[in-house]
Amino acid sequence: MPAEGANLQKELNPLANAERQFEDAASRLNLPAGLKEVIKKPRRATIVNLPVVMDDGSIRVFTGYRVQHSIARGPAKGGIRYHPQVTLEEVEALAAWMTWKCAVVNIPFGGGKGGIICDPEKLSKSELERLTRRYAADLSDLFGPESDVPAPDVNTNEQVMAWIVDTYSMHERRTEYAVVTGKPLEVGGSAGRREATGRGVLLCIREASAHLKLPLRGARIAVQGFGNVGSVSADLLGREGAVLVAAADVSGAVHNPNGLEVAALIRYVADHRGVKGFPGGQRLETPIVEHDCDVLIPAALENQITHENANRIKARIIAEGANGPTTPDADRILETMGVFVIPDILCNSGGVTVSYFEWVKNRMGLYWPEAEVNQRLEHTMVTAFRDVLAKSLEHRVNMRVAAFMVAIERVVKVMMLRGLYA
Ligand code: NAD
């Protein structure tokens, strides 16, 4: 492989990136050497091979993973991803990010993540159900409200969570809603969960714009990925007077310097399965991350901003709705350009925060109305943003390094207090 290709492949490795981000922050903290090694590695990684009877009567075996990165601050928490390219390394990286995310927003969870190598597009609903139930059954020793609490991630949804609740409950011989979050409202889900990540993105952008003295009213927004996180962020920002000038998804990209009408675009995407052809804007030919705007929200996939395109970014603020959209090499370039990056472990933590509320409500048996959920979310997010900003100003580091520093300090504090068992 040519050197440039090999370098790029290394730059796009999520586990290597998660480790670099950790090292960058950890090297600035006075951590006991041994302890640093303990929290770098996942606590436990499980591989399961799952036999499933397909609709035609044949048997297929799918490989699945569950990684618990840390349980120091509470049960492992993190989603389950169904994707043909899932790897153990990717799940390890995502599990570590969950540890830091939960610590940044100061909720009592550790970090975990799961995945199954499969293409859900090619499975029938009943095959998907049997696969999910087998995964949940095989891992039911790990899962539990006190030990490991999964949630939806790429290609898993409320229905998948309902199947896991049912499978786990059958094994336990009692209904246990708190074993997963992101459930349907009727099965112990939380009001406001669907909008929670986008609402958190809005709250972070609002705090950042106040800090940078960039008015939100009239700010030009570009959103990559017009799914749950991207569309809710755009909608809520529009209500604050910001203008959506460009939006992209897998179907294509559209722009309008005078503003795309967000509600109409959301309706159009629901009817046409993508932004492509939206009559309220023109087709965007250039990459959306390079679009002229004040705030860029990558809300699609990892590795969208790399050393190759970082110097063409025009946004003043990047609000990471997606996990891992910016590589560490790109971070360095953006920092020299003065771009204010709100890192994923802070920016998209609204989802796990409301998942925490869902878990609390399941355990209390008391369900808060949406207004109360939103109020608590705002308090949690604003506090977290201000903690990270204060760390960033104190140590003269960017927001990503500061967020990791806050998170690592919180995890280490608990580990020191608890001590190492045996
Ligand atoms: P989603 O499936 O609802 O939306 C994803 C969007 O990205 C879709 O519009 C899709 O068309 C678009 N997309 C995919 N590939 C693209 C490409 N190459 N270029 C442009 N657009 C592309 O998913 P979501 O729940 O909105 O999640 C988006 C991101 O946010 C993911 O990285 C996810 O891990 C992260 N995230 C989500 C939550 C949550 O609560 N949903 C919480 C934290 C982080």
Side-chain angles (χ1 to χ4, degrees):
M1 186 184 295
E4 177 63 10
N7 284 343
L8 187 63
Q9 200 175 38
K10 194 167 160 218
E11 185 185 351
L12 306 186
N13 179 322
L15 187 57
N17 289 347
E19 283 173 358
R20 262 179 81 180
Q21 290 165 344
F22 171 83
E23 281 295 342
D24 228 9
S27 63
R28 292 172 158 89
L29 297 166
N30 203 7
L31 300 181
L35 217 50
K36 191 170 133 186
E37 290 313 304
V38 178
I39 46 176
K40 244 170 92 168
K41 301 257 179 250
R43 173 183 173 266
R44 176 189 272 181
T46 306
I47 303 175
V48 283
N49 288 307
L50 309 163
V52 175
V53 179
M54 308 303 282
D55 290 346
D56 66 3
S58 64
I59 295 173
R60 268 184 68 188
V61 179
F62 296 86
T63 300
Y65 307 106
R66 184 70 186 172
V67 175
Q68 295 179 345
H69 176 261
S70 167
I71 55 163
R73 288 171 45 89
K77 184 86 194 80
I80 300 168
R81 177 171 291 200
Y82 289 179
H83 198 276
Q85 263 98 48
V86 164
T87 63
L88 182 56
E89 273 204 337
E90 180 192 45
V91 179
E92 279 182 37
L94 290 161
W97 280 324
M98 284 306 298
T99 299
W100 313 129
K101 195 179 295 190
C102 293
V104 166
V105 277
N106 218 353
I107 56 177
F109 285 134
K113 205 79 180 189
I116 301 179
I117 306 171
C118 69
D119 185 351
E121 294 271 308
K122 297 197 176 121
L123 298 175
S124 70
K125 192 173 174 191
S126 53
E127 288 167 343
L128 210 56
E129 177 174 352
R130 287 194 290 278
L131 175 61
T132 300
R133 286 185 182 278
R134 183 68 195 221
Y135 178 77
D138 270 16
L139 293 176
S140 63
D141 289 346
L142 289 183
F143 293 162
E146 316 284 348
S147 53
D148 188 339
V149 186
D153 191 69
V154 175
N155 291 329
T156 53
N157 55 19
E158 294 185 346
Q159 175 61 77
V160 172
M161 296 305 114
W163 289 328
I164 297 178
V165 163
D166 188 65
T167 307
Y168 184 83
S169 298
M170 292 307 287
H171 283 240
E172 293 291 305
R173 315 305 294 161
R174 64 187 160 82
T175 294
E176 184 51 89
Y177 284 154
V179 66
V180 289
T181 59
K183 302 179 289 290
L185 265 182
E186 300 78 359
V187 189
S190 172
R193 173 63 185 88
R194 196 187 69 80
E195 299 82 7
T197 305
R199 188 173 293 280
V201 171
L202 159 80
L203 293 166
C204 285
I205 295 173
R206 209 184 64 189
E207 289 294 306
S209 62
H211 167 64
L212 299 170
K213 301 193 172 47
L214 289 174
L216 203 47
R217 183 156 293 281
R220 295 163 309 144
I221 314 284
V223 175
Q224 183 199 38
F226 207 70
N228 172 306
V229 177
S231 67
V232 172
S233 305
D235 183 31
L236 296 176
L237 281 159
R239 288 164 201 242
E240 303 273 329
V243 183
L244 179 70
V245 291
D249 63 13
V250 273
S251 73
V254 286
H255 75 116
N256 184 341
N258 300 317
L260 298 159
E261 205 203 311
V262 180
L265 183 57
I266 291 174
R267 280 195 304 275
Y268 183 87
V269 169
D271 292 342
H272 298 82
R273 304 186 71 180
V275 301
K276 187 178 172 190
F278 177 61
Q282 298 87 47
R283 186 171 151 179
L284 180 64
E285 307 284 353
T286 48
I288 188 154
V289 295
E290 298 170 21
H291 197 70
D292 192 11
C293 62
D294 301 306
V295 182
L296 170 66
I297 307 178
L301 306 166
E302 303 95 89
N303 297 329
Q304 296 303 296
I305 306 171
T306 67
H307 81 278
E308 288 187 328
N309 61 5
N311 59 7
R312 293 196 292 278
I313 300 287
K314 298 182 187 67
R316 177 76 179 84
I317 297 174
I318 296 179
E320 295 185 336
N323 287 313
T326 311
T327 67
D329 287 348
D331 259 341
R332 299 238 156 97
I333 299 168
L334 294 170
E335 189 167 5
T336 60
M337 290 163 61
V339 180
F340 189 86
V341 179
I342 312 171
D344 48 8
I345 60 169
L346 170 64
C347 195
N348 70 34
S349 59
V352 75
T353 300
V354 174
S355 275
Y356 163 55
F357 299 159
E358 183 178 328
W359 177 82
V360 170
K361 289 192 281 182
N362 294 151
R363 288 154 61 94
M364 286 201 301
L366 175 69
Y367 288 78
W368 307 325
E370 186 167 348
E372 190 171 345
V373 170
N374 291 345
Q375 197 187 356
R376 287 176 187 269
L377 173 64
E378 179 160 351
H379 175 74
T380 306
M381 295 293 304
V382 169
T383 305
F385 186 95
R386 292 181 184 169
D387 288 348
V388 173
L389 182 61
K391 184 69 84 182
S392 147
L393 297 173
E394 183 193 341
H395 291 266
R396 295 169 183 261
V397 293
N398 67 38
M399 289 289 279
R400 187 175 326 271
V401 175
F404 271 82
M405 287 171 78
V406 167
I408 295 167
E409 275 179 336
R410 286 183 180 156
V411 174
V412 167
K413 179 88 197 270
V414 174
M415 290 175 76
M416 304 270 279
L417 286 167
R418 288 180 63 160
L420 285 186
Y421 176 69

